[in-house]
């Protein structure tokens, strides 16, 4: 599902993935939409659990994205 998180999946990716998972293309699209919506929420929740009192979630997320972008 990585192409959908990066928002660069195309129609052929959907068809291939649907076939590999034994799902319809519509089911893949629905799951990708839900994943794309929930993934940032889950990442924020996990990062939030690592913060000490008074730390900023927004600042920590900026640091995380900066670190990921440099790779």
């Amino acid at each position: 599902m990585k192409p959908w998180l990066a928002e660069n999946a195309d129609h052929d990716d959907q068809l291939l993935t649907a076939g590999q998972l034994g799902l319809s293309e519509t089911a893949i699209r629905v799951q990708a939409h839900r994943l794309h919506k929930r993934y940032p929420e889950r990442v924020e929740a996990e990062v939030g659990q690592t913060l000490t009192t008074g730390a900023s979630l927004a600042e920590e997320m900026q640091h995380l994205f900066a670190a990921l972008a440099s790779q």
Side-chain angles (χ1 to χ4, degrees):
M1 300 300 286
K2 186 177 180 179
W4 288 279
L5 292 175
E7 294 185 358
N8 61 0
D10 61 24
H11 181 72
D12 291 337
D13 290 332
Q14 291 175 349
L15 287 174
L16 179 62
T17 302
Q20 290 172 340
L21 298 176
L23 300 171
S24 70
E25 184 180 359
T26 301
I28 289 294
R29 276 192 250 132
V30 169
Q31 292 300 318
H33 175 76
R34 290 177 181 162
L35 177 64
H36 188 67
K37 181 180 179 201
R38 286 187 295 220
Y39 187 73
E41 295 168 358
R42 294 301 311 147
V43 170
E44 285 186 4
E46 291 297 318
V47 170
Q49 291 180 8
T50 69
L51 299 177
T52 59
T53 303
S56 167
L57 177 60
E59 288 178 14
E60 192 66 24
M61 293 301 293
Q62 287 176 345
H63 289 294
L64 173 62
F65 291 131
L68 292 173
S70 67
Q71 292 185 2

